[in-house]
Amino acid sequence: HMQDAPYLTTEEAAAYLRIKERKLYEMAATGAAPCSKVTGKWLFPRAALDRWIEAGMAQPGGLTLPQAPPIIG
C-alpha cells in the first residue's frame, strides 16, 4: 500500500503531492525535490517529502522559504 511505503515511486509521489508526474520529474532532475535514483528509478522518501512540504509552507509575516546561510570558504 502506498500509505505504508517509506519510499514512493514517481507516480505515487506525484499523487501524494497532488502534482503532475512530469513536474515531479523536472523537480527531481534539478534537485528541487528530495529523492534518490535507485536502479534507474526515482524514489521519494515520504518523510523527506513531508519535511520539504513543511519547509516550503508560508510562514507568518510573509516569509515563504527559510534562507540558507551564506557559504563562507
Side-chain angles (χ1 to χ4, degrees):
H1 252 79
M2 179 178 99
Q3 286 78 15
D4 304 327
Y7 298 96
L8 306 180
T9 64
T10 306
E11 181 182 357
E12 291 167 342
Y16 185 63
L17 298 170
R18 294 177 174 82
I19 62 175
K20 294 193 182 312
E21 278 184 67
R22 182 181 187 87
K23 179 66 176 171
L24 187 56
Y25 271 117
E26 289 174 15
M27 295 169 88
T30 59
C35 59
S36 294
K37 200 165 196 177
V38 181
T39 64
K41 294 182 180 181
W42 291 107
L43 288 178
F44 299 83
R46 181 189 301 277
L49 290 175
D50 290 340
R51 287 192 301 272
W52 179 57
I53 293 165
E54 290 164 8
M57 286 197 298
Q59 302 294 323
L63 179 69
T64 53
L65 283 173
Q67 292 296 316
I71 297 170
I72 300 168

